[in-house]
Amino acid sequence: MTMYRWRGLPVPHITPWSAETVTSAPLTVRHGRLAYEHEGPYDRHDGVLWVRVAYAQGAGRPRFAGIHAWRQRQAIMHDLCMICAEPAHVAGRFLFLLAARDGRPIQEGETTAVPPIHPACARLAVRHCPHLRDGWAAALVTGTPSWGVAGIRYAPGSLVPLPGPDPEHPDDLARVAYEDDAGLRWVLAAREIIELLDVEPVTDLDALAAARPLPH
Ligand SMILES: [Zn+2]
């Protein structure tokens, strides 16, 4: 797997490129749930409807503020590094690196849409990623069970999108747990969400990376 670069900058695997547009396919209501008018075999995962996105990694310019829904899901489901897409195991555990403006450490049981990351790739991310510049928190994690999805919720029985969870950030996605059967019927998912278990905070990424060099 080659790491994509743009003007010398490493581009994370889950970063969308400008050619990777979200396809707006007409929605409908079918069998008491949200559906595409013309639904294909890859539009649902575990029964949940997902956004359609083009796949053209490396084409155009990267949109660093975005996340490619398909690659995010693949990375989360297969424990792949969010930067280089190689398996992200660190001696049976996974390193997670999250933005933390207030310096708050990653909590036991915290839920996230951010895939795991290699120690060496984490050092790259801390150096280059604007959203980590105001602070980050890292942890080694043993368990990463599925928790749910994040996406756009619709009013049940309708095609009326509901506002996001935070009025100050209207683009934020709503989270729906896999145990919320009713909620899952009316969401257009764009992120897979996992739970982080057996969390051990990491403060020294350099030491961790030195102990475990990049596996490629
Ligand atoms: Zn990596």
Side-chain angles (χ1 to χ4, degrees), residues 4 11-17 20 53-58 67-77 80 82 85 115:
Y4 284 84
V11 180
H13 179 66
I14 62 168
T15 296
W17 293 70
E20 296 182 311
V53 283
Y55 197 106
Q57 194 173 14
I67 290 179
H68 190 275
W70 191 88
R71 287 197 294 274
Q72 185 270 350
R73 184 172 184 280
Q74 291 297 307
I76 288 272
M77 299 306 283
L80 307 178
M82 62 180 287

Side-chain angles (χ1 to χ4, degrees), residues 14-211:
I14 62 168
T15 296
W17 293 70
S18 54
E20 296 182 311
T21 48
V22 172
T23 318
S24 66
L27 293 165
T28 186
V29 173
R30 193 184 302 123
H31 306 309
R33 63 182 185 178
L34 195 65
Y36 285 122
E37 275 186 15
H38 303 284
E39 211 168 292
Y42 304 110
D43 287 326
R44 287 184 190 273
H45 300 288
D46 299 322
V48 180
L49 196 68
W50 273 70
V51 291
R52 287 178 180 167
V53 283
Y55 197 106
Q57 194 173 14
R61 49 189 296 156
R63 295 192 297 108
F64 284 107
I67 290 179
H68 190 275
W70 191 88
R71 287 197 294 274
Q72 185 270 350
R73 184 172 184 280
Q74 291 297 307
I76 288 272
M77 299 306 283
H78 300 294
D79 301 318
L80 307 178
C81 172
M82 62 180 287
I83 304 291
C84 72
E86 294 285 338
H89 297 265
V90 180
R93 293 196 286 178
F94 300 100
L95 178 66
F96 283 82
L97 175 68
L98 308 183
R101 188 161 295 175
D102 49 6
R104 177 176 157 278
I106 297 174
Q107 306 291 304
E108 181 67 31
E110 185 162 338
T111 55
T112 185
V114 177
I117 190 168
H118 291 118
C121 291
R123 292 180 65 223
L124 268 183
V126 165
R127 204 178 316 146
H128 295 293
C129 286
H131 77 284
L132 298 176
R133 234 165 249 159
D134 293 333
W136 51 267
L140 282 166
V141 168
T142 306
T144 58
S146 291
W147 180 87
V149 296
I152 299 167
R153 296 189 81 145
Y154 285 74
S158 81
L159 298 178
V160 179
L162 296 172
D166 181 354
E168 289 189 17
H169 300 97
D171 292 338
D172 279 4
L173 299 171
R175 291 185 173 194
V176 182
Y178 277 126
E179 58 192 34
D180 179 4
D181 287 332
L184 291 173
R185 290 176 162 266
W186 302 104
V187 65
L188 183 60
R191 310 274 186 274
E192 191 75 35
I193 306 284
I194 50 170
E195 193 176 358
L196 305 181
L197 301 179
D198 298 325
V199 171
E200 181 195 326
V202 170
T203 52
D204 191 343
L205 290 176
D206 291 343
L208 194 66

